[in-house]
Amino acid sequence: MHFETLAIHDAQAPDPHTGSVTVPVYQTSTFARSGLEYDGGFVYSRIGNPTRQALEATLALLDNGRYGLAFASGAAATMAALHVLKPGDHVVSGIDIYGGTYRIFKELLAPMGITTSYAGGSTTESYVEAVRPETKLIWVESPSNPLMRIADIRALAAFSKERGIILAVDSTFASPYFLRPLDLGADMVIHSTTKYLGGHSDIIGGAVIMNDDALHQSVKTYQAAAGAVPAPWDCWLVMRGLKTLKVRMKEHEANAMHLARFLESHPAVAKVLYPGLSSHPQHILAKSQMSGFGGMLTIEMKGGMEAVRKLISGVKLFLLADSLGGVESLIASPARMTLWALSPEERMKRGCSEGLVRISVGLEHPDDLQADLEQAIEGCG
Ligand code: PLP
């Protein structure tokens, strides 16, 4: 079956009791048992809940995985995926990653004796060079946040398989509509469902999708024991978002491409980082593993932070906000906002200059978005 059909039907059959065409919100903490012997049913909503179960099944289908597990945030999903590591283990991570994930590596894993090295660039070689005998996991964000770098997931998966290393891909920027890392050989996919999957900037959530039984058991045990699970109502909202993921992603992409082309030709803009542009250094690679390029783009303003401030204070439709992937267009300064956890030196080492502006292109009319950027960018050169 096709993506959009799976998103609407497969794991979301009409409610057997009432015929309700949407899965009910099972807003309950606990379930009455039939007797003292466990009968295989639901027991307690931290361990399992029917609304969450329907969401998890849908998430697994859309990423073409066997197992999906939902979490209370993307960060909780990240932590759950990384829980497969033990003291003494080593991680190789892409250097351009979400600041909160960097904080997990530095402030939560390092004190537990789990160390992380960062690949110097986005090439497969730069990941391979950072691998040590004790490396147990490679962490990839593709496209990455905020530099929109693309990792060669097929090549990294082949290498990881050979070395017995787990390949985990944070696929938040692409969404399963444009990228399915498990099909390319990755072991785990992580999403912040807060973003495109929810799609309406109204929930915080996360997910881990995988095929392997042992990995699933480990992440599921962590989910049940640590308990960072989403509430039934939030699960329902993500499920509703998934039903329109295809149509939203196509529009996000069309709008992003429109703005990327406009910005590329603007004299105040030094660089446009969007994998859909043929000027993107990894455009061909992106095309070979993604079915589209998504709705995120990053620009570098020639005038540095001063120009960034002017642009951000000049826009009227684009909201200054940290998140992404919603129907409304958002704008952010990675240096001041999403990468706040990094020192200026750490940011520079990653290639994140003060002049960067990250744009989450929403679903407004592209002409209105362009006109808004056009008037705000005036005089930013
Ligand atoms: N991964 C990426 C790529 C993100 O951009 C974010 C948040 O911005 C996260 C993970 C964390 O997700 P959440 O904010 O839902 O915890």
Side-chain angles (χ1 to χ4, degrees), residues 238-305:
V238 177
M239 251 188 307
R240 183 167 72 168
L242 292 176
K243 291 176 192 180
T244 56
L245 185 62
K246 175 196 167 171
V247 285
R248 284 187 290 108
M249 290 315 293
K250 284 176 80 142
E251 286 294 304
H252 280 298
E253 184 191 38
N255 281 359
M257 185 61 99
H258 180 94
L259 293 189
R261 289 203 176 112
F262 159 69
L263 289 163
E264 198 170 38
S265 66
H266 200 283
V269 177
K271 234 189 284 177
V272 178
L273 305 170
Y274 182 64
L277 290 176
S278 53
S279 59
H280 188 285
Q282 295 156 309
H283 173 65
I284 304 288
L285 172 61
K287 228 171 143 172
S288 77
Q289 65 184 20
M290 300 171 78
S291 58
F293 307 103
M296 295 300 298
L297 62 94
T298 297
I299 59 174
E300 182 164 10
M301 297 298 292
K302 279 189 187 153
M305 184 46 77

Side-chain angles (χ1 to χ4, degrees), residues 49-66:
N49 174 285
T51 316
R52 190 172 97 218
Q53 188 180 63
L55 168 63
E56 293 180 332
T58 310
L59 289 166
L61 283 169
L62 297 188
D63 253 303
N64 203 18
R66 286 175 65 207

